[in-house]
Amino acid sequence: IVCWQSVSVWSVAGRVEMTVSKFMAIQQALQPDWFQCLSDGEVSCKEAASIKRVRKSVDRSLLFLDNCLRLQEESEVLQKSVIIGVIEGGDVMEERLRSARETAKRPVGGFLLDGFQGNPTTLETRLCLLSSVTAELPEDKPRLISGIGRPDEVLKCIERGVDLFESFFPYQVTERGGALTFSFDYQLNPEEMLLQQNGTQEEIKCVDQIKKMEITGCNQEITSFEINLKEKMYQEDFNPLVRGCSCYCCKNHTRAYLHHLLVTNELLAGVLLMMHNFEHYFGFFHSIREALKHDKLAQLKELIHRQAS
Amino acid sequence: MAGVATQASLESAPRIMRLVAECSRSRARAGELRLPHGTVATPVFMPVGTQATMKGITTEQLDALGCRICLGNTYHLGLRPGPELIQKANGLHGFMNWPHNLLTDSGGFQMVSLVSLSEVTEEGVRFRSPYDGSETLLSPEKSVQIQNALGSDIIMQLDDVVSSTVTGPRVEEAMYRSIRWLDRCIAAHQRPDKQNLFAIIQGGLDADLRATCLEEMTKRDVPGFAIGGLSGGESKSQFWRMVALSTSRLPKDKPRYLMGVGYATDLVVCVALGCDMFDCVFPTRTARFGSALVPTGNLQLRKKVFEKDFGPINPECTCPTCQKHSRAFLHALLHSDNTAALHHLTVHNIAYQLQLMSAVRTSIVEKRFPDFVRDFMGTMYGDPTLCPTWATDALASVGITLG
């Protein structure tokens, strides 16, 4: 629920009406290095928002931004913190461009592109929008996007000017008992890559349908970038999750052990999987930076898309 | 009554216990257990990692806390993932990647804890699996066979366990059966050179039955003895008397393992009574309810009083949780929707138990155990004289007076 004065959010303590002053008071207490400004992102939660509603979301977000900037100026404690302006505008090109241009006029430290999260098909339709938005933004300020986590989607956004990604992707994989195993080593030839993945390619073919998992109330689909350690085939697999991975889990434990922990509902399963999934995912981003440095993004993109289902 | 002892069992069992110091007043001892996966200082508290894992903490964390022996459970592991798989994984050590010692319980306790799913005969215990309804017979031979596959450093005999609140002929039946089952376990044991089979003294709360069991079982030359059938619903007054009776009749040069004992006061008193080894789910279980163990008892960190308490759980504690986090932070975590607090508290509670045992041991070696006991009771109860009656009586029986 958003109005001109506040955005309502749900916390463990119930509903909180977040006004600009309350929001900034919290920032003063937290003293973050960067903080995302309060904005009206409600249109991305709704099916088909009217132009009027979309327009309002842009106007409100700019109002919130100006108010937050003013309060920041008055606050000694927040002088070192940087505000990230939020680009709204739903799926309406005109409004997106307006939001981008207007936000760019303000003294923000970076830009968050809100409302691009969703399922794979929705991102596809919004790619054009994304390119147009980033084209309006200054080259020397970072662009953040939230809710995009799948490796293939990440690359598409990077190609269109995005720099930082905030998502639950590795956590969601962990929660469903999955381990990220996709290869991002674009230097390897395909045969070597197969060996490194311990036959993950075959596993991808085996997972013929994408299964819908209901985990903690959120419908998340298993991706082809991971293996599902709950499956019986891992019961006697004494390999590490990914051969060559230097995370604590891969250095100390086997797929068979993780399978056992998941089947017996042991807390340690999540601990070990999270360690691996972070390390693997961070490794992916490292390879993106390397690829960009050496102008090899196309190879990395080809490798990732080969593994996308 | 005594089963026929085979040639193998008459050969001298390894002397795994070396006594380092003894209290001149009480029966407390400090020692060293020499086990296949390294030395363990006693008295020792052994955390319980039932299903090849210590409830959310890694083996590296457990090692860093100084733990050198922990428990696995034969009944649970025998069902999932099963002994064949564990054997393929290089035993339980290999499967869970634990470099130090392991002790496996025989599955006997599940007879009591899962009593509605079990049926006892001379043959063994018949369990109905809660997972798929299938039946398994856990006989002394089968239990030892599974434990041989698990490869733990100390294995327990299958005993006929009755709840300590049961009275009448069933207790006597269980005691004599446990002796017969001990002999069957000894005969079935394929790896006496790599795994130490402990006997378990039964007899309930009946002094005569317990005495008989002690007399018979100590005729078998096993590497160690456990005191079983206690730490259930019995009164503390009966509890300590059975422990004291048992330690008075067990050989001095073999370890005494008191099963299921874990509250701090109980640990200290039972060390005074002559016990060397302890296990209990209490510290790890209570952590998962948000309770942190401290020298004065416990802190229920979910309570509002800790909301703005920025000190550690215990400023004297050296565990990572107390080094890094405040009570306020843990309080907030306990009111969030993730399990982080449980991990931090599990680490702390295990550290508390291990540090307690270490302090007990040092006091025995430095010949000041009775003073340590008085200080401990003073901290825990406000004054040594406010210690519970049963504990005062138990300590008095071995020459330690409080206040």
Side-chain angles (χ1 to χ4, degrees):
Chain A
I1 301 173
V2 192
C3 65
W4 288 101
Q5 287 79 39
S6 66
V7 179
S8 288
V9 289
W10 270 259
S11 72
V12 284
R15 179 176 139 181
V16 177
E17 263 180 63
M18 196 67 76
T19 57
V20 167
S21 39
K22 197 177 232 165
F23 178 78
M24 290 305 282
I26 294 172
Q27 302 309 330
Q28 294 215 69
L30 294 175
Q31 293 174 44
D33 299 284
W34 291 7
F35 64 98
Q36 174 184 335
C37 190
L38 191 67
S39 70
D40 179 0
E42 211 182 3
V43 289
S44 55
C45 307
K46 297 202 146 70
E47 272 302 309
S50 67
I51 284 254
K52 214 170 145 187
R53 181 66 187 88
V54 174
R55 206 170 282 148
K56 232 187 237 177
S57 78
V58 176
D59 291 333
R60 274 191 195 142
S61 301
L62 286 166
L63 180 68
F64 289 151
L65 177 57
D66 288 336
N67 286 335
C68 286
L69 281 165
R70 188 177 36 81
L71 285 176
Q72 186 196 24
E73 231 177 292
E74 295 166 14
S75 158
E76 204 185 305
V77 154
L78 284 175
Q79 287 315 302
K80 290 228 185 84
S81 304
V82 169
I83 290 190
I84 306 292
V86 183
I87 316 274
E88 297 289 352
D91 290 328
V92 180
M93 179 67 85
E94 201 184 298
E95 287 302 305
R96 279 283 177 187
L97 292 176
R98 184 167 75 93
S99 181
R101 287 173 192 144
E102 286 301 314
T103 309
K105 287 182 187 164
R106 274 75 169 167
V108 292
F111 303 91
L112 184 115
L113 283 49
D114 193 17
F116 285 91
Q117 57 269 45
N119 59 56
T121 41
T122 57
L123 178 68
E124 203 59 43
T125 56
R126 288 173 177 148
L127 288 175
C128 181
L129 214 57
L130 184 58
S131 306
S132 307
V133 167
T134 55
E136 301 292 328
L137 300 175
E139 283 289 299
D140 62 346
K141 288 184 181 175
R143 300 84 175 268
L144 295 80
I145 203 165
S146 55
I148 305 288
R150 276 176 47 130
D152 50 342
E153 295 178 354
V154 164
L155 286 177
K156 289 190 179 131
C157 293
I158 285 173
E159 284 179 303
R160 289 162 179 78
V162 178
D163 307 299
L164 286 99
F165 294 78
E166 179 268 303
S167 80
F168 295 111
F169 183 68
Y171 173 69
Q172 287 164 329
V173 174
T174 299
E175 284 290 278
R176 54 180 178 248
L180 293 172
T181 52
F182 68 97
S183 173
F184 43 79
D185 198 340
Y186 55 90
Q187 313 262 43
L188 283 182
N189 65 56
E191 261 176 54
E192 281 178 51
M193 186 195 86
L194 260 171
L195 282 168
Q196 193 191 63
Q197 285 177 285
N198 312 313
T200 307
Q201 293 283 65
E202 287 162 51
E203 283 154 14
I204 291 168
K205 287 179 203 137
C206 281
V207 179
D208 44 314
Q209 305 105 11
I210 295 178
K211 298 167 216 159
K212 267 200 189 281
M213 311 282 282
E214 236 139 46
I215 303 207
T216 59
C218 76
N219 279 327
Q220 281 298 323
E221 299 179 356
I222 286 190
T223 67
S224 52
F225 300 101
E226 66 200 75
I227 54 175
N228 177 11
L229 287 159
K230 290 182 182 170
E231 283 175 14
K232 225 166 146 58
M233 68 166 104
Y234 298 111
Q235 210 176 39
E236 291 195 23
D237 187 340
F238 294 114
N239 290 301
L241 296 177
V242 171
R243 205 179 291 156
C245 175
S246 56
C247 82
Y248 177 83
C249 182
C250 289
K251 286 202 292 201
N252 288 285
H253 295 296
T254 62
R255 295 169 170 199
Y257 185 59
L258 260 310
H259 174 84
H260 165 73
L261 293 177
L262 285 164
V263 159
T264 54
N265 274 314
E266 282 287 344
L267 282 172
L268 189 62
V271 171
L272 294 176
L273 281 177
M274 195 72 259
M275 285 197 269
H276 169 76
N277 287 336
F278 272 144
E279 179 120 352
H280 196 86
Y281 202 56
F282 293 154
F284 169 54
F285 277 86
H286 176 80
S287 77
I288 297 175
R289 294 191 292 275
E290 289 298 299
L292 285 166
K293 255 188 243 174
H294 301 109
D295 198 21
K296 291 265 165 76
L297 191 67
Q299 277 93 317
L300 178 57
K301 193 178 162 188
E302 207 254 297
L303 173 61
I304 295 297
H305 279 279
R306 236 190 296 149
Q307 297 171 86
S309 63
Chain B
M1 212 60 54
V4 175
T6 63
Q7 187 58 38
S9 71
L10 286 174
E11 280 166 24
S12 186
R15 290 292 183 272
I16 61 173
M17 176 85 162
R18 183 176 86 90
L19 287 177
V20 166
E22 290 178 78
C23 176
S24 54
R25 304 227 83 207
S26 68
R27 299 183 194 170
R29 316 107 66 76
E32 268 171 19
L33 284 175
R34 259 161 314 177
L35 295 169
H37 282 83
T39 309
V40 176
T42 65
V44 65
F45 177 78
M46 306 179 285
V48 182
T50 310
Q51 301 196 100
T53 162
M54 191 59 64
K55 295 293 180 241
I57 71 172
T58 64
T59 50
E60 185 180 271
Q61 284 175 295
L62 197 55
D63 166 271
L65 291 174
C67 179
R68 293 295 174 262
I69 180 168
C70 64
L71 260 70
N73 188 278
T74 298
Y75 170 78
H76 290 287
L77 293 171
L79 286 177
R80 302 187 300 190
E84 298 82 13
L85 180 77
I86 292 187
Q87 200 155 30
K88 283 185 195 166
N90 282 321
L92 189 52
H93 287 89
F95 187 58
M96 60 185 285
N97 196 24
W98 174 243
H100 305 299
N101 296 293
L102 285 167
L103 184 154
T104 44
D105 182 22
S106 59
F109 179 68
Q110 275 66 46
M111 289 156 60
V112 174
S113 63
L114 301 172
V115 71
S116 59
L117 295 170
S118 67
E119 192 209 332
V120 185
T121 61
E122 186 62 26
E123 215 189 346
V125 191
R126 204 165 289 277
F127 285 107
R128 218 171 359 98
S129 164
Y131 309 118
D132 60 7
S134 64
E135 281 198 4
T136 40
L137 173 69
L138 191 64
S139 62
E141 291 77 15
K142 185 86 172 102
S143 176
V144 169
Q145 186 189 37
I146 296 174
Q147 292 183 82
N148 281 157
L150 297 177
S152 34
D153 304 89
I154 298 177
I155 69 176
M156 304 305 295
Q157 70 155 111
L158 183 68
D159 48 344
D160 186 357
V161 189
V162 287
S163 161
S164 52
T165 52
V166 168
T167 52
R170 177 72 186 105
V171 182
E172 183 170 348
E173 177 194 53
M175 185 274 285
Y176 282 114
R177 182 172 290 145
S178 295
I179 300 171
R180 293 192 294 277
W181 282 4
L182 171 59
D183 288 336
R184 283 167 62 181
C185 285
I186 293 171
H189 188 19
Q190 295 290 310
R191 310 175 74 218
D193 52 329
K194 287 255 157 51
Q195 299 179 272
N196 298 287
L197 173 64
F198 277 26
I200 306 179
I201 310 290
Q202 294 294 341
L205 303 172
D206 183 316
D208 291 329
L209 290 177
R210 222 166 246 277
T212 305
C213 198
L214 282 156
E215 193 185 324
E216 283 305 317
M217 285 194 173
T218 50
K219 287 181 189 162
R220 280 75 174 161
D221 194 15
V222 286
F225 295 91
I227 301 165
L230 299 175
S231 203
E234 76 277 1
S235 77
K236 277 301 208 286
S237 163
Q238 294 168 302
F239 162 75
W240 81 257
R241 281 171 227 280
M242 289 299 105
V243 174
L245 169 62
S246 304
T247 55
S248 70
R249 309 272 173 105
L250 285 171
K252 277 195 146 195
D253 62 346
K254 291 182 177 177
R256 297 90 171 264
Y257 165 26
L258 181 55
M259 304 183 84
V261 168
Y263 298 133
T265 301
D266 301 10
L267 290 170
V268 172
V269 171
C270 292
V271 167
L273 296 179
C275 299
D276 308 302
M277 301 163 66
F278 306 88
D279 83 281
C280 193
V281 294
F282 170 67
T284 40
R285 183 170 290 167
T286 207
R288 299 197 297 284
F289 290 111
S291 175
L293 299 176
V294 289
T296 50
N298 66 77
L299 305 177
Q300 298 295 330
L301 289 170
R302 300 184 73 102
K303 293 206 166 142
K304 210 166 157 70
V305 66
F306 297 108
E307 203 181 35
K308 298 185 186 176
D309 187 341
F310 293 105
I313 293 170
N314 179 359
E316 321 263 292
C317 180
T318 54
C319 85
T321 303
C322 290
Q323 295 302 301
K324 289 188 236 179
H325 300 301
S326 66
R327 298 169 176 195
F329 179 63
L330 294 166
H331 171 88
L333 282 182
L334 283 165
H335 288 279
S336 71
D337 58 359
N338 70 74
T339 63
L342 311 185
H343 301 272
H344 292 311
L345 290 178
T346 300
V347 165
H348 169 77
N349 284 358
I350 292 177
Y352 171 79
Q353 301 282 105
L354 298 181
Q355 282 169 61
L356 174 63
M357 286 290 103
S358 180
V360 163
R361 184 177 200 269
T362 304
S363 76
I364 298 170
V365 169
E366 292 178 358
K367 303 192 184 315
R368 50 176 181 82
F369 177 66
D371 282 333
F372 175 88
V373 176
R374 281 184 276 268
D375 282 340
F376 172 85
M377 295 302 172
T379 307
M380 185 64 80
Y381 300 102
D383 191 88
T385 56
L386 296 173
C387 172
T389 314
W390 76 268
T392 310
D393 293 343
L395 290 166
S397 80
V398 288
I400 297 183
T401 49
L402 304 171

